[in-house]
Amino acid sequence: DAKTTQPPSMDCAEGRAANLPCNHSTISGNEYVYWYRQIHSQGPQYIIHGLKNNETNEMASLIITEDRKSSTLILPHATLRDTAVYYCIVRVDNFNKFYFGSGTKLNVKP
Amino acid sequence: EAGVAQSPRYKIIEKRQSVAFWCNPISGHATLYWYQQILGQGPKLLIQFQNNGVVDDSQLPKDRFSAERLKGVDSTLKIQPAKLEDSAVYLCASSSGTGGYYGYTFGSGTRLTVV
């Protein structure tokens, strides 16, 4: 079962930063936080992951709170092509099983 | 590198018929997963393979679903007989390892409609 809680939907204006929150209050010390997104009619696509420290790559930034109970995915300059469902996932065991919740539907508007 | 290949892309069958889906993972990826995604929901894990062995099939409805991964490469997921509630997108994913920080690469999925 998913160990994360996300808002069902969010809106963002094109060109502005999109900040997607995720709660994972039962996360264990060795569990990673992953973010994937799913654009309509495609399979989920990897965005970023982290354990304790904040992470940044060419797609996004991941901010993890010090107690690791929540995180925020930041898309610095959202475009219309970023409209998708964003999934926050905690990898639950050493066999690398990912349990998806319902995700956040991000609507980027012109 | 080539991605995860799945076929067919779409399939429409009548209830009680049989159907099979095929997945070719990324070369060298030892771990392969099948997920079921019902419209409006997140993907649900059905089965996980490590090479050609099953690691977890606890959420696979074994009375009608079966899966195999011969020679630790390609995999086939079968439904027999299909029910209306099996209408979903079936996603295959592969990963290069277990533990640590290995992420998944997903295929585009097979959209199954049972009428």
Side-chain angles (χ1 to χ4, degrees), chain A residues 4 11 17 50 53 57 86 92 106:
Chain A
T4 61
D11 292 336
N53 300 320
N57 62 21
Y86 287 77
V92 296
L106 177 67

Side-chain angles (χ1 to χ4, degrees), chain A:
Chain A
D1 293 326
K3 296 178 65 172
T4 61
T5 304
Q6 300 177 253
S9 66
M10 294 182 63
D11 292 336
C12 178
E14 188 178 19
R16 304 295 295 268
N19 297 281
L20 291 88
C22 179
N23 287 320
H24 32 80
S25 58
T26 61
I27 192 170
S28 298
N30 61 347
E31 291 178 334
Y32 287 80
V33 178
Y34 283 78
W35 283 83
Y36 279 74
R37 74 178 182 184
Q38 188 172 27
I39 296 171
H40 184 62
S41 297
Q42 297 182 22
Q45 173 193 22
Y46 168 81
I47 301 173
I48 198 167
H49 73 276
L51 182 61
K52 296 180 180 178
N53 300 320
N54 299 337
E55 302 288 344
T56 295
N57 62 21
E58 65 277 5
M59 292 182 66
S61 294
L62 174 60
I63 309 297
I64 302 174
T65 58
E66 189 170 347
D67 63 7
R68 303 211 325 124
K69 293 184 177 182
S70 65
S71 60
T72 301
L73 179 74
I74 301 173
L75 307 178
H77 305 286
T79 70
L80 298 178
R81 288 178 295 180
D82 292 322
T83 292
V85 178
Y86 287 77
Y87 295 101
C88 169
I89 303 160
V90 170
R91 187 180 61 79
V92 296
D93 61 31
N94 289 330
F95 288 101
N96 209 28
K97 285 193 286 287
F98 285 0
Y99 293 101
F100 288 77
S102 298
T104 296
K105 177 69 165 67
L106 177 67
N107 299 300
V108 180
K109 299 183 176 182

